[in-house]
Amino acid sequence: MKKLFSFALAAFAAVSMNAAQLDLGIGELTDAGWGGCTYNAATHTLTFPSAWGCGMGWWLEADFSAYDRVVVEFESAPAQIALNVNYTTPDGNGQQYVQQLVGAGSKSAEIQLDPARKNSVEKVYLQAGAPCSLVLKAAYAISGQAVDPLDGLTGENVGEMTEPGKTCYLPLAVIREYAYFEILVSNKTDEAQNGWGIGKIVAVSDWNTPAFELSCNNPGTGNVNRFVIEQADMLEYAKKNGVYHTDEYGQQGVHINVYDDKATLVSVKGYGEGGTGGGSSTATKTDLGTPNEYGCVELLLDEINSYDEFEIVVNVTNAAVGANWGIGKIVPINNWNGPFFEYKSVKAGAGEQTIVITKADMQEYAKVNGEYYTDEYQRQGVTINAYDDKAALVKVVGVSMSGGSAIVNTTSAVKATKVIENGRVYILRGNQRYTITGAIAE
């Protein structure tokens, strides 16, 4: 049944960005679909039974002259999602529509309204590129430009371009250092069209499990696509089945890879100071000791159990060392002839670098044949050292994490203020502090 949207109850509100906003209402979808789409208003779950052949949205027949764009926010998209806006033609005998596609893993879709036609919006609706369910969080029309979380921050090139223009390895330790990451990708051909896949982010070397697809948002040969990803999301992309993925070289992190027949990876930059937990999480770091006379640091099992992660700080002394070269090992305490874990260089060349080991992995390194190894002094734990012909162990740090990330609609109708403190960007709304999440596309 066609549902007309009433503006009688709509309230315009101004936030700190001087933006008017109109809530479309995610409860307004119960009978506005076709092609077998269903919507559970209690859980805000929209189900697409087929690819592209069905849709659901808002029947409006409305004047959106006061607004510049439409935004729909949702939980991580399981497939490619299309946000469509239909305009009534001047003679009323048909519709004209525009479409914006976003890739799997995206958390929002946004479409600019045509200034010449936004006074005659017929409907706004969603479609999916594969059968799936999508949990909606918000939908609204808004004026003004999106808040850029990188505004006022200075970026630094991060990661290792293992294949220049194609692949960048971003280790877990580097992800921990920054609040946001900006990825720039340049189109090589006109085949890079809106919504088309131009690359992906995967848990390091786990190419068969793409965590996030980079979709074209600026079509045309030579045009640059921009992706801004919060630390908390980048950390999730480094996981497989909820656990940080470790590749064959002992590395953890992500690979950013572009499809070289369509695009070129221009740069990956980190912005802001990142707490290790991501978002508004806080982390406490404790120095667990410097090497003893043998160049080793011992961690007893009680210490291992007391922290969420461990940072092994190593000074690589051999300039010939390459990424993925072995620079040290971890063994069950005092069991040098037993099994060991070899940790690898996260980047090439001499200099200090940090290797991150999770608690779960460190616990496993303390075991022999699945059982905790006990040395001659009745101790359980691990011994960490570096290969002294290549590197020197500097220290081991224990990391305790607390707090969590708060997701906020940065353009909601509640007054908000954007602030920058210690290089981090926050939104203050009332007495609540939030971090900005989601991708920002130019």
Side-chain angles (χ1 to χ4, degrees):
M1 180 179 72
K2 188 173 183 179
K3 176 171 287 191
L4 300 181
F5 191 87
S6 172
F7 287 89
L9 300 178
F12 294 174
V15 296
S16 61
M17 292 72 73
N18 296 319
Q21 177 174 309
L22 179 68
D23 185 6
L24 298 184
I26 58 176
E28 298 289 316
L29 289 169
T30 52
D31 57 358
W34 69 95
C37 272
T38 59
Y39 184 66
N40 186 324
T43 63
H44 301 152
T45 302
L46 199 168
T47 299
F48 302 96
S50 61
W52 305 127
C54 57
M56 183 166 284
W58 297 265
W59 297 85
L60 301 168
E61 294 188 357
D63 183 350
F64 271 30
S65 296
Y67 309 101
D68 297 311
R69 53 200 169 92
V70 172
V71 181
V72 179
E73 299 178 359
F74 35 78
E75 292 187 359
S76 185
Q80 189 178 51
I81 299 296
L83 173 61
N84 306 275
V85 173
N86 282 26
Y87 300 97
T88 303
T89 55
D91 60 8
N93 295 322
Q95 299 173 344
Q96 298 172 319
Y97 83 98
V98 291
Q99 183 181 77
Q100 179 67 53
L101 295 101
V102 296
S106 299
K107 295 185 178 179
S108 67
E110 178 175 319
I111 195 165
Q112 289 292 127
L113 294 170
D114 184 340
R117 295 185 290 171
K118 63 182 180 179
N119 63 342
S120 59
V121 174
E122 172 75 13
K123 61 185 176 183
V124 174
Y125 60 98
L126 296 164
Q127 294 176 290
C132 66
S133 293
L134 186 70
V135 179
L136 301 184
K137 299 178 70 174
Y140 47 90
I142 191 163
S143 67
Q145 298 301 310
V147 173
D148 189 337
L150 307 189
D151 184 29
L153 301 180
T154 300
E156 300 177 5
N157 287 315
V158 295
E160 286 287 307
M161 286 282 190
T162 52
E163 294 180 81
K166 185 178 188 312
T167 303
C168 177
Y169 167 54
L170 199 58
L172 194 60
V174 173
I175 296 174
R176 296 292 191 199
E177 294 178 11
Y178 299 93
Y180 301 97
F181 297 89
E182 178 189 62
I183 302 169
L184 299 181
V185 180
S186 177
N187 300 329
K188 293 177 70 173
T189 72
D190 281 330
E191 291 182 8
Q193 300 179 23
N194 253 354
W196 287 34
I198 54 175
K200 60 185 176 181
I201 304 175
V202 300
V204 59
S205 296
D206 186 25
W207 299 105
N208 296 320
T209 311
F212 182 78
E213 183 178 26
L214 302 174
S215 297
C216 180
N217 54 46
N218 190 16
T221 303
N223 289 347
V224 174
N225 306 275
R226 178 175 182 251
F227 307 90
V228 176
I229 299 174
E230 190 187 20
Q231 182 201 66
D233 289 329
M234 195 67 85
L235 289 172
E236 285 302 310
Y237 303 153
K239 294 179 180 179
K240 181 178 182 180
N241 299 324
V243 177
Y244 289 117
H245 181 258
T246 303
D247 74 356
E248 60 184 310
Y249 303 108
Q251 296 181 324
Q252 293 176 319
V254 302
H255 270 139
I256 300 165
N257 182 66
V258 303
Y259 306 145
D260 56 5
D261 58 332
K262 294 180 182 176
T264 299
L265 182 59
V266 177
S267 65
V268 179
K269 292 185 176 181
Y271 289 79
E273 180 184 351
T276 58
S280 59
S281 298
T282 58
T284 301
K285 295 188 178 184
T286 304
D287 193 331
L288 300 181
T290 54
N292 58 24
E293 59 185 307
Y294 304 106
C296 304
V297 171
E298 294 179 340
L299 294 183
L300 299 182
L301 190 57
D302 285 346
E303 284 183 298
I304 295 173
N305 293 336
S306 299
Y307 298 94
D308 297 297
E309 291 182 349
F310 300 87
E311 295 180 352
I312 300 175
V313 182
V314 177
N315 182 31
V316 175
T317 54
N318 186 338
V321 164
N324 297 330
W325 287 31
I327 55 174
K329 64 181 179 181
I330 306 172
V331 301
I333 193 163
N334 283 341
N335 187 25
W336 294 103
N337 296 322
F340 67 90
F341 170 79
E342 183 177 48
Y343 60 84
K344 310 283 187 173
S345 172
V346 297
K347 58 185 177 181
E352 189 171 284
Q353 53 182 275
T354 300
I355 291 87
V356 176
I357 306 291
T358 63
K359 176 171 71 175
D361 284 337
M362 197 68 85
Q363 289 170 332
E364 287 302 308
Y365 305 153
K367 296 178 180 179
V368 176
N369 297 325
E371 299 291 337
Y372 287 113
Y373 175 79
T374 304
D375 75 354
E376 59 184 309
Y377 304 107
Q378 303 303 304
R379 300 183 303 172
Q380 293 177 322
V382 299
T383 303
I384 304 168
N385 82 323
Y387 301 151
D388 57 10
D389 59 331
K390 297 177 183 177
L393 182 61
V394 177
K395 63 181 177 179
V396 178
V397 176
V399 181
S400 298
M401 287 180 280
S402 62
S405 176
I407 297 176
V408 62
N409 165 18
T410 61
T411 50
S412 78
V414 181
K415 285 194 173 183
T417 304
K418 186 175 75 166
V419 298
I420 299 175
E421 294 179 5
N422 298 322
R424 304 218 35 202
V425 182
Y426 300 96
I427 289 293
L428 297 181
R429 183 171 288 112
N431 61 357
Q432 297 294 315
R433 176 188 295 250
Y434 304 94
T435 53
I436 302 172
T437 68
I440 305 294
E442 286 186 324

